[in-house]
Each structure stands twice: as structure tokens, then as C-alpha cells.
Amino acid sequence: MTSPADPALAGPRIPEAVHRRRWAILGVLMLSLLIVVLDNSILNVAIKTISTPAPTGLGATQSELEWAINAYTLVFAGLLFSAGLLGDRLGRKRVLLGGLAVFGIGSALAATAGSPTELIAFRAVMGLGAAFVMPATLAVLMNVFEREEQPKAIGIWAGGVGLAIAIGPITGGVLLDHFWWGSVFLINVPIVLLALALMLWLVPDSRDPNPGRIDPIGVVLSVVGLVLLVYGIIKGGQLADFTDPAVLSTIGAGLAVLVAFVVFEKRSDHPSIDVTYFKNKVFSAAIAAIALVFFALMGVTFFSVFYTQSVRGYSPLQTGLLMLPLAAAQMIFAPRARLLVDRFGNRATTTAGLLVIAATLAAFAGFESDTPIWILEVVFFLMGVGMAHIMTPVSVVIMQALPREKAGSASALSNTFRQVGGALGIAVLGSVLSTAYRNGIEDKLGLLPAGARHTAGESIEATLGVAEKLGPQGKALIAPAHDAFLHAMHITALWGAGVAVIGAIVCALFLPGRTPAADKDEEGRELVAATE
């Protein structure tokens, strides 16, 4: 692995014309990133509306909602690494422009979806476009900033995620208050057009002079394996029975395909994922930290929307405003996280961040239907603080562990594991929520017909929908539905907290501590070789 101390990387390498406009280029890259992250944060607020029967929504079930999120995430995660390699080979600017165009087309189609199945398919198209956008933004960043400025630039880039988290729910809430549910996707189109125009004008192209070959077999194996695994987990939650033969066989097949993927990649001379990168314990720990924190956070975000809207009765716009502290904390602390890293090291900073995340997730286990809302706001703020002190340090570790020419590959690896972690978080924690909810509500649905009983037990929205149709008789179901959901949320939150604690242990064991002065080169840059 190339060390930052190599002569090839010493001294300024950025053309002066590019160097002068580097901050404007970062702004364009953050706009592109904003669209990709904005879409998921908008959807989180809209899932309750989409689950409402037509004409208000699409009448999507909880499993269909999970697939609407995961269709995007799985295509995104499955193609990220190949997209990173294509950017390294064809040029990152070209790949960025193409990805944005596909994302815009997918958004327009999703806005006009007539059924949950169509929405899932068009979300997959959006995921295809996003897969080409995300790694290219970070790869371009690494090629327009000199190494000493990269941690600061990555911190601002990570703060852009916080900005998107803030804008997304509020934008989604305003749109849902005034327009139909499809407007949360249609809003992407004008932003895409603006980003395309600015990118053509400002962003320089860059590529790897020695790019790897594309690995179609590896891509297919990774996507098929992930889809089978996530489908099996979601199906188990839907049935509230993980011992069902269909569930076990699907999960087993997914794991088998993923094992075959790893074996194939190890033997391939042009792998999608170069598994030799993972021999570096620091690199592996940083990747694991990203995957585990998104596993926990995405699962909790999924249930927190139902808590605020279905149990507490807040509107989509109010829910978006409630998430502002989380986003504000990320925006404030992500660009400054490097200062803590300089003082205390990656290990202490990231481990502390994950322990804060674990504590905030565990706090959800104490939430009831009458918990003062300011407590939720404090928890969201602390969650944002924790996330800011994880994302920036581990992103810097990952991006600086590989040579600049491999920036697309490093960015793609980071984002692949983040998305896979998020997809598995939604699938696993969503299934825990679904199973615990069904177990809690089942004995209260005895008066309903057998078919309606199964449907009503799938989620709190399904139960409340049946209660509304029954009129005065259905009012008796509302309180038990709230109680069953709160119990399920408490269990799910503790699972998420446990995953965050595992991440903290990984970081404490394997990430580097404070870098001694002797382990820096003459320009004050850390030597990756010292941490391997």
C-alpha cells in the first residue's frame, strides 16, 4: 500500500487554476451530495403518508415501505464499488454528470408511481444514479485539495450530510402539507438541473492513470447476495417467524452467495473489492465503524418517524422540525471533529462518538407516549454530536489509507459499507420492530376476521387504519396499538444500542491513538504506514 510519505505524493500536485476555485468546487460537490442524502431524509418523513390508503398515499404495507427504502439502498450499495472504478477509469466528472441525470429521471418517475411496486422499481433507478454520484464527489474532493487540507474539506463534506438531514424532513413536511406525496421526489429534479449546470462550469475531470478492470461477476454476486439476505430478514419480520423454511432458505442462500463473492474476489486479478485493503486493521476498523453506526441509526430513524407521527400525533412538517437538532449538531461539529482528533487521536474521538450514539439509542427505550418532547430534542442533538465525531475521523482514515489515484475506490468502499450497514439496519431492526409489535398486539385483534387480523398486526399504521374503518368500535384498538408499538420500539432501540457498543469496542481496539510527532512527515502529515 502506498504511504503518504512516498515521493510521488510529496509537494503540491493540484493545478493552480483548480486550486484557486477548490472551495467553489466543494460547494458543487456538496450540492450533488445533498440531493442523494436529501432524498432518503425526505422519504423518512413521508413513509407514514405513503402507507396511508389512496388517494392520500399508496397504501404501502410496512414490508413494502422497507423495500421502498432498501430497493434504493441495495442497488446503491451493490453498484458503488463498480461505479467508483468506472469513475477512476472514465473520469469522475463524466460519471458524476451521468449519475445525476439518471437520478433525476428516477425521481420524476417515482413521483408518478401508481402503486407500491412501481415506487420500489423507480427507487431502484434512483439508487442506480446515486451509486455513480456519491463516490465521485469524495474522489473529486481528494483530487482538488492538497493532503493537508483534506481533513478540513472532508469535515465540511460530512457537515453537508447534516445539512441534508436538516433540509430533507422540513422540505418533505412542507411539501406534504401542501401537495401530494409524489412531490417529495419531484423536488429533486430542479436541484439536479442546477447541479448539472454548475458541474459543467466548475468541476475539473480526474481519473486513475492505472484503473482496474470492471468485475461484472463480482457485481452480480454482491447484489444478488445482499438482496436475498435482506429479503429473508424482512420476510421473517413480516411473518413474525424467523424459523419459517422460506425465510431460513432465503437468508441461507444470501449468505452463501456473499461467501462465494468474497472467495471470487480473493482469486480474481481484477476484483470489485480488493480484499487486501482489509489486511490493514486501521482501515478495516474504520469501515466497520461506519457500517455499524449506520446499521443502528437507520433502523432507529425508521421507527422514530412512527413514534412522532403515529403515537405523538405530529404532522410530517412538525416531525421534520423535531429532527433539526440532530442535523444542526452534525453541521456544527462535523467540520470541527478534526480538532478533537488532533488532540486526542482517532481512537478516543471515534470510540466516544459511538458510545454517545449507544446512549442516545438506549434513551429511546425509556420513551413513552407522554415523554416531554424536549427530551427527544436533547437526544437527537446528542445523536448528531456523536455522529459528527464518527463520520469525519473515519472518513479521513479511509480516504488517506489509499493512494490519491485510488480515491474513487476508497470512497466507494466507505459508502458501500455505510449503505449495506444502513440496509441491514432497516431490515434487521425493522423486523425486530415488526415481530415485537405483532406479538404485542395479536391478542387484542381477536374480534377481527382472520384475514384482517393478520394485516392489522403488521404495523401500527395497519392497526390504526383498521381501527379507523371500524368507526366507534375501532377506538378500542388505538390504546393497545400505541402500547404495543412503544414496547416494540423499546426492544428495537436496545438492539440498536448494542450494535453501537460493538462498534465502540472495534474502534477502541483497532483505531490508532494520538499520532506522536515522530510519526509525521516534514509537512506534518500522518504516516499511514505507522498505523498499519
Side-chain angles (χ1 to χ4, degrees):
M1 189 175 292
T2 306
S3 164
D6 287 350
L9 291 179
R13 299 184 56 208
I14 312 298
E16 181 59 30
V18 173
H19 182 73
R20 280 200 306 268
R21 63 177 193 267
R22 64 196 184 284
W23 298 108
I25 292 168
L26 179 59
V28 179
L29 296 176
M30 286 177 64
L31 181 62
S32 305
L33 176 73
L34 190 75
I35 302 164
V36 175
V37 180
L38 182 81
D39 179 72
N40 266 342
S41 59
I42 280 183
L43 184 61
N44 285 334
V45 173
I47 53 178
K48 182 180 181 293
T49 305
I50 294 170
S51 70
T52 307
T56 304
L58 293 176
T61 66
Q62 182 149 321
S63 59
E64 287 171 335
L65 287 173
E66 289 176 30
W67 273 114
I69 296 170
N70 282 335
Y72 175 93
T73 303
L74 287 172
V75 173
F76 190 11
L79 295 178
L80 265 172
F81 206 82
S82 292
L85 286 176
L86 275 175
D88 290 344
R89 172 187 286 270
L90 302 176
R92 283 110 190 194
K93 180 175 181 176
R94 190 177 302 177
V95 163
L96 258 175
L97 292 170
L100 280 171
V102 171
F103 185 85
I105 292 167
S107 298
L109 291 171
T112 60
S115 68
T117 304
E118 286 186 11
L119 178 61
I120 291 167
F122 295 143
R123 287 276 297 161
V125 174
M126 293 170 69
L128 173 65
F132 287 86
V133 173
M134 181 70 94
T137 60
L138 202 47
V140 170
L141 181 155
M142 297 300 286
N143 281 273
V144 298
F145 284 90
E146 294 294 349
R147 191 174 181 85
E148 59 271 17
E149 281 191 319
Q150 286 172 4
K152 182 179 179 181
I154 290 174
I156 295 170
W157 180 88
V161 176
L163 181 65
I165 291 172
I167 294 173
I170 296 169
T171 306
V174 170
L175 291 170
L176 292 171
D177 274 1
H178 294 90
F179 304 102
W180 93 116
W181 64 266
S183 61
V184 300
F185 298 111
L186 198 61
I187 190 67
N188 292 333
V189 176
I191 305 175
V192 165
L193 293 174
L194 175 62
L196 286 171
L198 290 172
M199 200 166 291
L200 284 167
W201 176 36
L202 283 171
V203 176
D205 206 359
S206 63
R207 67 187 72 202
D208 184 350
N210 300 299
R213 284 189 290 156
I214 301 303
D215 172 28
I217 296 175
V219 172
V220 171
L221 286 174
S222 64
V223 174
V224 170
L226 283 170
V227 169
L228 286 171
L229 177 61
V230 171
Y231 177 80
I233 294 169
I234 291 175
K235 192 68 177 174
Q238 186 182 359
L239 298 174
D241 182 11
F242 281 88
T243 62
D244 183 271
V247 172
L248 288 175
S249 60
T250 307
I251 292 175
L255 291 172
V257 172
L258 289 174
V259 169
F261 166 71
V262 173
V263 172
F264 180 82
E265 296 301 283
K266 285 182 75 173
R267 296 178 177 176
S268 174
D269 60 356
H270 58 288
S272 280
I273 295 178
D274 188 343
V275 293
T276 61
Y277 294 158
F278 293 94
K279 290 180 180 178
N280 181 338
K281 290 180 182 178
V282 172
F283 182 82
S284 298
I287 289 285
I290 278 188
L292 289 169
V293 76
F294 271 83
F295 180 101
L297 282 171
M298 290 296 285
V300 171
T301 303
F302 187 76
F303 72 61
S304 67
V305 172
F306 287 101
Y307 171 70
T308 54
Q309 293 187 38
S310 300
V311 176
R312 302 300 297 262
Y314 290 101
S315 69
L317 175 57
Q318 289 169 327
T319 298
L321 291 170
L322 287 174
M323 295 185 74
L324 265 179
L326 188 154
Q330 269 198 275
M331 290 169 60
I332 294 166
F333 290 101
R336 294 170 173 80
R338 63 193 170 83
L339 301 176
L340 277 184
V341 173
D342 289 344
R343 183 165 183 180
F344 299 108
N346 278 300
R347 180 189 302 144
T349 304
T350 309
T351 301
L354 274 156
L355 289 174
V356 169
I357 292 289
T360 56
L361 296 180
F364 275 93
F367 282 15
E368 301 294 343
S369 56
D370 59 352
T371 298
I373 205 66
W374 67 265
I375 296 178
L376 177 66
E377 297 297 84
V378 170
V379 167
F380 274 149
F381 182 81
L382 292 174
M383 194 177 282
V385 172
M387 198 170 175
H389 289 93
I390 299 163
M391 289 302 299
T392 301
V394 297
S395 294
V396 172
V397 168
I398 291 165
M399 294 307 294
Q400 293 193 344
L402 301 183
R404 192 196 296 263
E405 288 76 15
K406 302 295 181 185
S409 299
S411 172
L413 261 177
S414 170
N415 285 298
T416 297
F417 279 84
R418 180 164 66 185
Q419 295 302 322
V420 169
L424 290 174
I426 290 168
V428 173
L429 297 183
S431 295
V432 170
L433 183 74
S434 184
T435 302
Y437 179 78
R438 185 181 290 281
N439 291 337
I441 196 69
E442 217 157 23
D443 61 344
K444 307 292 192 300
L445 303 175
L447 298 177
L448 298 177
R453 197 180 310 149
H454 183 81
T455 302
E458 189 171 288
S459 68
I460 185 172
E461 276 307 300
T463 307
L464 296 177
V466 168
E468 192 175 344
K469 287 179 184 175
L470 291 175
Q473 287 179 306
K475 287 185 178 177
L477 288 176
I478 295 175
H482 287 175
D483 291 342
F485 178 82
L486 287 168
H487 175 68
M489 182 180 81
H490 296 162
I491 293 172
T492 309
L494 291 175
W495 273 63
V499 170
V501 168
I502 292 171
I505 293 170
V506 169
C507 290
L509 290 176
F510 299 112
L511 282 188
R514 188 178 176 191
T515 308
D519 288 341
K520 296 190 177 185
D521 64 13
E522 67 279 0
E523 295 182 25
R525 300 177 303 198
E526 290 183 17
L527 302 185
V528 172
T531 63
E532 288 184 351

